[in-house]
Amino acid sequence: MGRYFGRKSIVYALTCIVAVTINWLVPRFMPGDPVLQMLISRGPDTNPEQTAVIMDYYNRLFGFDVPLWQQYLNYWGALFKGDLGVSVWLFPTPVADVVLRALPYTLGLLLPAILLSWFLGNKVGAMAARRKWLDNSVLPVGYVLTATPYMWLAILLAWSLGIVAGIFPTAGGYGFDLQPAVSWEFASSLAMHWFLPFLSLFLVAFGGWAIGMRNLVIYELESDYANYLAALGAPPRLIRRYAFRNAILPQVTGLALQLGVLVGGSILTEVVFAYPGLGNLVFQALLHRDFFLLQGVVLFIVIGVLVANFVIDVVYVLVDPRTRAGMQGVSA
Amino acid sequence: MTDTRPLKPITADARRAEIFRLALGNPKVIAGLVILATLLALGLAAPLLSGHGPSDYVGPRAEPPSADFWFGTTLFGQDVFVQFANGIRSTYVVGLLAGGIGALVGMTVGFVAGYRGGVVDEILSMITNVVLVLPAFAVLIILAAYVGIDSVVHQSVFIGAFSWPWVARAVRAQTFSLRSREFVDLARLTGVRPLTIIRTEIGPNMGSYLLLVFIVLFGGSILTAASLDFLGLGPPGQMSLGLMMNQALQSSALVLGIWWWFLPPGIGIVLIVGALYVTNIGLDDVFNPKLRKM
Amino acid sequence: MLRLNRVWKTYRVGAFGTRELTAVRDVSLDVAPGEVVSLIGESGSGKTTIGRMVLRLNSVSQGRIEFDGTDVSTLRGRALKSYYRKVQGIFQDPYSSFNPIFKADRVFDMVRRQFFAGTPNATWHGKIEAALADVRLDPAQVLNKYPHQLSGGQLQRMLIARALLLDIKLLIADEIISMLDASTRIDVMNLLADLTSRGVGVLFVTHDLALGNYLSTTTVILRRGVIVEMGATDKVFANPQHPYSTHLLGSVPHLHKKWSQVEAELARHDARLGPCGYHAHMPGRCGMPPHDPDQPMLAEIEPGHVVGCSYDQPLG
Ligand SMILES: Nc1ncnc2c1ncn2[C@@H]1O[C@H](COP(=O)(O)OP(=O)(O)OP(=O)(O)O)[C@@H](O)[C@H]1O
Ligand SMILES: [Mg+2]
């Protein structure tokens, strides 16, 4: 087991280093240096003091006054101190602060959407695997949902339930006329603004889980051991339970693999609803050509996904008896 | 080099014909292919459809669908149908290219890792796992923002460069089990080179699987490309379904009720990707008849 | 012609090859032209591994395999191809020796493409028919068929025919008889005898002692990757020295005897007896690897008959 985690840790550490290095490397070695372009293009009318602060950070991380390896190490050093630079768009707020302020919104969307879609998708998929009538509706709906781009479903919901039906607001994290406060009014505004982006994320993910589970359960029910159990006269309920248990493990792996896609989906959904999370920050950073902010957010997302992946890996090992037993063996 | 020629006509002709017959008798395959072919025809015909380009201002502003403008016009008076047809066209291009690149890289890595084994396998598997856990979309955003995407080909290369790891994993596992089969040893005893063995002995045994893999990559690449386009990170000057949604959203088409602007691009993507998935299930039924009972 | 000189094979298993499994340890043997050397041993004793190393399908961990004086592990490209022209193998499992999605006679076409690219069609077909006749196969019955349409015996004989297409000097035959029925068995055995009379050497891997006895000139008895006894077949069969060989040869009629019993008896034997056949001829204490690493693992107890220590060498 120790070796298994050792191996996994190497992969994650390596991925982390690769991600940070890409993040450092790409702007540094781009012809024309887009970051410098960004700073120069700010023009003479901007606050010279502001430009000085940004140039200072830029010089430390990208400047030519220290050798390359020093720049690279500086980057890591700054990272460990949580220093992601200063946002150009929201000057003089540090990027880390901007990210932390947006984070609760994204987590509030993603966590419920991921967990609920996973649980319900697996439930419905397993049910569809043994009820023809349900299967006939779950399967096509599931495939249509997985073929739907996140942003388009978001647009569709915003338009139909938001603008045409007028039930839900379609932009922002809470009413424009409100200030964050612990009050009923604010909480209900928050919930109303949250619902559509959540629903949109939930639906696309749900389709994928339901189909995946349905196929896995059918595969398990047709396996030799299920036939063997049936031949022994085991009650169908018992067989279904075994099938479900075996099918849930690949779905746990699937959760880890889909995290990146789901986070990407939340970026797109937040953009449609102008929801004040990390995704919208990405979009704003792109619009305002705020490269420090863009890099900070993306790096944050990448590391967040890696951590979540690692957690899922640990959970997987804890729930799967086979990995526990087989880890010492040949890992071909 | 005698062994770089394809093998003599001793291929599985009969089997292939049988599979072909089954595939054409499968309603899912037929339905999927009909949708795909229809949209492909529309995409191919896009440049011939009208005298104007997708971004030209040719009509009245924000006009609903009419005989002149089948899908209506945008807020700025551009022809939505022409935009749609051009978007479909670039959707196919990016899907085929990025899916092809992803499949090629994934298969190469998987074949080499599975066939060579040992240290080569350890290194390739490590790389595969690293790229696998890297959230591809986030990295693509950074790359697209800095490096810039100047053409559909460029975009496809980026997307393909991050979509291959699961293919490599699956192909590696299958190659691993096929490599230890004795027909591979027999080919080695006949002096056949490793690359030829992969191509003529191992590859054909996974032919149907590789086709399914390509179809899934095709669909996935389309969704990724549309997402990048939607964020404004697509190739500049290139009309695409994602860009249509971006422009519609940016121009408040939702609030203004210009539904004919933002509905078609989504429908187009759902149709293409959905048709790909349906074809995929149909082909899966054909290749793995065990599931056909259901 | 073929010489194995203190050959070891260690498989790396587990993640990053962290564990080792020694399948063959310090094996030396020779195969001369026209000679049949039978390699006898229980399942997992490393017989197939030895054959595969000779065929260059597995690498050698330590030691040297020489064919006509050249180290086979150095062969590359052209030289390797001409090695395969002379040295061929037939595997244990005929079903998995054919690619299931292609017709079975593709194995012949492969040989033609690699070795006889310039041969005219008529000559080639004549050659195939002759080879098939040698293994008593009717071309009409086996050509143009998929592997699943043919029986194990037919497939096995097609593999032999394939080897006959080349000008082989050495044949590695891994359990080729077990798939065959009694009458074809005789045919194939006669074929092998015919091959040896043409000067072909055969490394004949088998579980079957009677077959080994019938066919071979030299017998090698292998246990857990180690040669325990080796010599001219008549001497080994008439006068087995190692307790393992005694039990192996003695156990032929007692089919009811389980291997676990044999092992248990061996252990008891080890505990009971004094110095073994090996140590009667060699200095040193039983059960210990020789102090001098150059000291041979086998002692000659009579001309052309060698035996190893009867005590379990500490493995690992
Ligand atoms: N590719 C491999 N990787 C790891 N271990 C292997 C490999 N091939 C064989 N072994 C191991 O080496 C040992 C010897 O195997 P080998 O196939 O040579 O035995 P054998 O004498 O041919 O047995 P059988 O009579 O059953 O064919 C066995 O313990 C086997 O598990
Ligand atoms: Mg064997």
Side-chain angles (χ1 to χ4, degrees), chain A residues 157-178:
Chain A
L157 289 174
W159 178 62
S160 58
L161 293 180
I163 288 165
V164 176
I167 307 174
F168 294 100
T170 59
Y174 48 86
F176 289 114
D177 48 345
L178 295 176

Side-chain angles (χ1 to χ4, degrees), chain B residues 2-8 10-16 122 126 180-193 196 200-202 204-206, chain C residues 15-17 52 55-57 81 84 88-89 91-94 96-103 105-107 109-115 117 146 159 162:
Chain B
T2 46
D3 54 3
T4 46
R5 274 180 297 147
L7 282 174
K8 283 189 33 179
I10 29 179
T11 44
D13 288 335
R15 208 181 104 99
R16 216 169 272 171
E122 292 286 354
M126 195 57 105
S180 57
R181 301 270 286 277
E182 281 160 358
F183 61 79
V184 171
D185 292 332
L186 206 67
R188 289 172 66 189
L189 281 191
T190 319
V192 184
R193 283 147 194 268
T196 315
T200 59
E201 302 286 331
I202 296 178
N205 267 290
M206 297 165 50
Chain C
F16 283 103
R52 290 178 57 89
L55 290 169
R56 274 285 304 265
L57 295 174
K81 207 158 146 179
Y84 285 143
Q88 275 297 323
F91 302 119
Q92 220 161 346
D93 178 5
S96 105
S97 297
F98 289 83
N99 198 333
I101 64 169
F102 296 114
K103 285 178 179 157
D105 51 21
R106 197 172 87 126
V107 295
D109 292 298
M110 251 175 1
V111 169
R112 181 181 189 188
R113 203 159 48 83
Q114 292 291 322
F115 296 102
Y146 284 98
L159 289 177
R162 169 190 166 279

Side-chain angles (χ1 to χ4, degrees), chain C residues 43-44 46-49 92 174-175 205 207:
Chain C
S43 187
K47 308 182 294 292
T48 299
T49 303
Q92 220 161 346
D174 193 346
E175 311 272 8
V205 171
H207 291 114

